[in-house]
Amino acid sequence: MLKSRLLTAIILIPLVIAALFFLPADGFILVVLAITMLAAWEWGQFAGLKTPLQRILLALVFGLLLAGMVFMLPPYQRDIHQPYVALSLWISLSWWCVALLMVLAYPKSKILWERSRLLPLIFGALTLVPFFWGMLVLRQYHYDFDRYAGAWWLLFVLLLVWGADSGAYLFGKLFGRHKLAPKVSPGKTLEGCLGGLATSAVIAWAFAYFAPLNVAPTSLICSAVIATLASVLGDLTESMFKRASGIKDSGNLIPGHGGILDRIDSLTAAIPVFTCVLLLIFQVK
């Protein structure tokens, strides 16, 4: 298992970085759209969609909805200034506050959705649609002036999440004593979470000095800390839905890593929250 995970990571990480920096804008949109549709396919399990046909239809609905929203916008204006893009990110911020309450109240909170198909699907839309727009908005950041500016921002968030995950694992193994959310994810500890935050703070500090990000260090570090906390919540929220559905992994598309949702659960929260905080709250230009 460990060998498979390492091999997959060695292959995927360079591909992800190459996609960030070298795919044209429309190519990047297609890749993110495909990832979101695959995530929607997996999310269908949380709503009790058991048959492949049901989940394929769900993925197609997500794909058509997002593609339609994209094509309604003029090329190279798929940014934070479009009203329904900004609204999607504000809604995301609210959704993750609700998700936090659901995680804290679990398993009592599952009474809200366990007998409903509609509510888990709404939760899926609130998770995946803002993730899609957050990815596009960050990639399109200052695209007319510097086609790589947005790629640096996305790489920054990816490194934050990867660093937080690695730091949490290491600190949790070495110092973990107090469970973070034992009824949702028994393996996570408070010490691990703090270690992940510390790792992300170091990454943010390094990026502020060495990467071409034109932003005040205070805004960058505050956005980074909030995004890192959101990434932990994204992980816990998917774990909560998997546990309520009796599912260990969301899928098996990625050898050694489970499904698409298992890999992007932290990013589904970190990307839209970071984008919202940085561009709408701090209003970085």
Side-chain angles (χ1 to χ4, degrees), residues 92 96 126-128 130-131 234 261 264-273:
S92 175
W96 288 112
L126 292 171
T127 300
L128 297 177
F131 163 75
L261 274 174
I264 68 167
D265 52 4
S266 298
L267 292 172
T268 58
I271 290 286
V273 168

Side-chain angles (χ1 to χ4, degrees), residues 2-210:
L2 180 59
K3 182 180 179 180
S4 178
R5 288 176 66 91
L6 288 174
L7 182 61
T8 303
I10 289 169
I11 294 171
L12 283 181
I13 289 174
L15 287 176
V16 169
I17 294 174
L20 292 183
F21 284 89
F22 301 119
L23 275 179
D26 288 342
F28 184 79
I29 290 171
L30 288 175
V31 169
V32 178
L33 181 62
I35 291 171
T36 307
M37 290 175 68
L38 288 171
W41 150 273
E42 294 179 351
W43 193 283
Q45 300 170 97
F46 304 153
L49 304 183
K50 301 298 184 183
T51 68
L53 179 59
Q54 289 175 320
R55 293 164 64 190
I56 288 171
L57 288 174
L58 178 64
L60 287 174
V61 167
F62 268 82
L64 290 172
L65 170 67
L66 293 172
M69 293 170 74
V70 168
F71 287 118
M72 285 172 61
L73 300 178
Y76 302 107
Q77 292 186 28
R78 296 153 184 160
D79 56 29
I80 200 71
H81 303 295
Q82 301 300 323
Y84 64 72
V85 175
L87 178 62
S88 172
L89 296 173
W90 282 118
I91 290 173
S92 175
L93 209 59
S94 302
W95 155 240
W96 288 112
C97 290
V98 173
L100 173 61
L101 297 177
M102 290 166 62
V103 168
L104 292 174
Y106 188 84
K108 292 180 180 179
S109 61
K110 73 176 181 178
I111 196 173
L112 296 173
W113 77 84
E114 65 179 343
R115 295 185 180 180
S116 170
R117 283 195 174 183
L118 180 60
L119 273 179
L121 293 177
I122 291 173
F123 296 157
L126 292 171
T127 300
L128 297 177
V129 173
F131 163 75
F132 175 82
W133 282 116
M135 292 286 290
L136 265 57
V137 165
L138 280 185
R139 186 63 187 90
Q140 293 278 18
Y141 179 80
H142 287 182
Y143 194 87
D144 290 342
F145 309 105
D146 179 2
R147 62 176 298 179
Y148 299 116
W152 281 107
W153 278 119
L154 278 171
L155 180 61
F156 174 63
V157 182
L158 288 175
L159 290 177
L160 281 180
V161 172
W162 294 339
D165 188 52
S166 300
Y169 177 81
L170 179 61
F171 277 76
K173 284 290 185 183
L174 293 175
F175 309 111
R177 296 290 184 274
H178 303 89
K179 300 295 184 182
L180 182 63
K183 295 179 181 178
V184 173
S185 185
K188 290 182 172 57
T189 64
L190 178 60
E191 292 81 3
C193 181
L194 293 174
L197 281 172
T199 306
S200 294
V202 171
I203 292 171
W205 175 85
F207 249 74
Y209 279 91
F210 299 113

